[in-house]
Amino acid sequence: MAEFTLELNDDQKQVRDWLHGFAADVIRPAASEWDEREETPWPVIQEAAKVGIYSLDFYAQQFFDPTGLGIPMAMEELFWGDAGIALSIVGTGLAAVGVLANGTEEQIGTWIPQMYGDADDVKVAAFCSSEPDAGSDVASMRTRAVYDQAKDEWVLNGTKTWATNGGIANVHVVVAVVDPELGSKGHASFIVPPNTPGLSQGQKFKKHGIRASHTAEVVLEDVRVPGHCLLGGKEKLDQRLARARECAASGGERVKNAAMATFEASRPAVGAMAVGTARAAYEVALDYAKTRTQFGRPIIDNQGVAFQLADMRTRIDAARLLVWRASWMATTGKPFTSAEGSMSKLYASETAKKVTAQAVQILGGNGFTREYPVERMHRDAAIYTIFEGTSEIQRLVIARTLSGMPIR
């Protein structure tokens, strides 16, 4: 078991510096253009694929870092470059985590490589969980999966929303209801292979921030997938549903559903994304405060500005420490007895919103224009308190964990 340390080793530092260089030289120069275009930045994704950043091998290396710091370190550097483009590069990872969390070894080996493609023909993947009437309230999910035993196929019907890469993905991972009586415990995850009839893109959303990342509805109309596309397999699903029914009857311990397993694994990574955006805004504000003069002196000479910057940096470092702790705990098998994963996501996402707002304020009128990147960073930061569990949901998870009570 790796010992906890705040010092990155030489290999980690080399990867961090490599990612930082890519973010500075490739992502940042393209950020404004793709934010304005509100389109998937395929050329940037392809550049990331060519150098090995957008690949299964790269994410596997970071995922299996024994310290747990590989993924958060990578997320922070890429999102320091630009949140919208970075999410286009890493968005496939959520679908990959869904397969890793719930799939068999054969499914992992078959489907995850198809999510990425290769440098000459890049692909993306989508994880489809949220619905128009079921975001935080996963128990209200309506998308159904019905097993056709005669053909050994599952038939999926429903509409998913807020899906990153939804409709343009090569592979979709869809969470659906297989037993409505069990609520959120009656869900399962399915692979929808490329070009499967019945799957289509619905509305593409025009967003406040992260506009270079494609977000859309996914419509499923009598989508038939082979039995082997049920993540984990039918035997495992039947066993899990049986346990859930027994627990429901006896009031026993909870059984995690497929979507929650994915989100629990990814929350510290989202926190790291927020840290990257917050750090980027802080650095712009610090540089601006040192060079912008008013009344014959740099504005950083004023406590009103200097103290804001001190608070910004303190919050960023505290958020990073929470993210690193949760990531280390997850990798070393230590249970989140105080909902440490949710803590990291909550604090880091709230930090990103606050720090980017302070950066806009420090830049004054310039911060409100698109001539400076803090305006875009502030818009981008809003998503962190919303997706993969709102701040309110994180507080609910933390409070329930701490109290042991079914707080509503």
Side-chain angles (χ1 to χ4, degrees):
M1 181 180 295
E3 293 296 325
F4 179 76
T5 177
L6 296 178
E7 180 67 27
L8 298 178
N9 60 42
D10 290 341
D11 289 342
Q12 290 169 326
K13 289 177 181 177
Q14 185 176 6
V15 172
R16 178 199 62 192
D17 293 345
W18 172 52
L19 291 169
H20 187 81
F22 183 84
D25 297 339
V26 180
I27 293 178
R28 280 205 168 178
S32 178
E33 175 188 352
W34 292 99
D35 177 72
E36 293 286 347
R37 292 176 63 168
E38 298 191 55
E39 297 175 359
T40 301
W42 291 107
V44 183
I45 298 174
Q46 188 167 36
E47 284 300 311
K50 286 180 179 178
V51 300
I53 294 174
Y54 186 76
S55 70
L56 172 60
D57 288 344
F58 173 74
Y59 288 107
Q61 289 173 12
Q62 304 316 308
F63 185 82
F64 291 111
D65 182 331
T67 70
L69 302 185
I71 289 294
M73 180 186 65
M75 296 300 105
E76 180 177 338
E77 294 304 326
L78 292 173
F79 280 74
W80 172 89
D82 176 69
I85 291 178
L87 190 57
S88 291
I89 293 173
V90 308
T92 292
L94 185 59
V97 168
V99 176
L100 285 169
N102 301 295
T104 64
E105 290 187 7
E106 182 179 357
Q107 289 169 332
I108 291 169
T110 299
W111 296 110
I112 292 183
Q114 295 187 47
M115 294 179 174
Y116 289 94
D118 55 47
D120 295 322
D121 185 22
V122 293
K123 305 291 185 182
V124 294
F127 183 76
C128 307
S129 178
S130 293
E131 298 184 2
D133 296 317
S136 299
D137 182 13
V138 294
S140 297
M141 189 177 293
R142 295 180 181 178
T143 297
R144 289 293 308 276
V146 177
Y147 185 57
D148 183 343
Q149 187 171 3
K151 296 184 177 180
D152 186 25
E153 292 179 338
W154 289 89
V155 184
L156 280 62
N157 282 281
T159 299
K160 295 296 182 178
T161 193
W162 311 122
T164 298
N165 298 329
I168 66 170
N170 193 48
V171 175
H172 291 76
V173 178
V174 177
V175 182
V177 179
V178 294
D179 189 333
E181 294 182 359
L182 292 176
S184 62
K185 302 177 185 68
H187 297 174
S189 293
F190 299 85
I191 291 285
V192 180
N195 304 314
T196 298
L199 184 147
S200 62
Q201 179 183 307
Q203 175 187 5
K204 178 186 175 183
F205 296 102
K206 288 186 168 292
K207 305 188 298 294
H208 176 65
I210 55 166
R211 300 198 301 194
S213 174
H214 177 96
T215 310
E217 291 181 330
V218 174
V219 179
L220 304 137
E221 297 179 307
D222 291 330
V223 172
R224 286 183 168 267
V225 298
H228 61 76
C229 287
L230 166 64
L231 290 180
K234 194 168 188 305
E235 181 178 352
K236 183 178 178 181
L237 173 65
D238 289 341
Q239 293 173 353
R240 179 167 62 81
L241 294 178
R243 291 197 304 271
R245 294 185 190 102
E246 291 175 3
C247 288
S250 63
E253 66 181 54
R254 298 171 63 200
V255 178
K256 291 186 177 71
N257 66 67
M260 289 301 101
T262 299
F263 291 140
E264 285 182 7
S266 62
R267 275 173 181 158
V270 176
M273 299 173 189
V275 170
T277 298
R279 189 183 113 211
Y282 158 77
E283 290 176 0
V284 173
L286 178 63
D287 289 343
Y288 185 88
K290 288 178 178 179
T291 57
R292 172 67 168 172
T293 59
Q294 289 287 282
F295 305 105
R297 61 181 183 176
I299 63 173
I300 200 171
D301 280 355
N302 300 298
Q303 288 185 359
V305 173
F307 284 7
Q308 282 195 74
L309 289 162
D311 287 343
M312 292 159 74
R313 177 58 185 266
T314 300
R315 287 187 64 102
I316 291 166
D317 282 11
R320 182 185 297 109
L321 288 173
L322 284 170
V323 167
W324 282 18
R325 179 183 69 168
S327 301
W328 172 75
M329 290 177 68
T331 296
T332 55
K334 297 186 181 298
F336 288 166
T337 57
S338 299
E340 288 86 351
S342 290
M343 282 185 185
S344 69
K345 199 267 186 184
L346 170 65
Y347 192 80
S349 60
E350 294 288 346
T351 291
K353 283 188 68 174
K354 184 175 181 62
V355 166
T356 55
Q358 289 176 297
V360 171
Q361 189 68 24
I362 290 171
L363 269 67
N366 286 325
F368 201 64
T369 71
R370 295 187 183 180
E371 295 299 314
Y372 288 80
V374 292
E375 176 271 340
R376 184 179 67 250
M377 294 168 184
H378 184 43
R379 286 189 286 107
D380 291 340
I383 193 60
Y384 298 126
T385 61
I386 298 172
F387 72 175
E388 293 197 52
T390 64
S391 288
E392 291 75 20
I393 290 296
Q394 305 308 323
R395 291 185 176 98
L396 187 64
V397 171
I398 295 166
R400 285 175 174 174
T401 303
L402 296 177
S403 68
M405 302 295 290
I407 298 169
R408 296 183 181 275

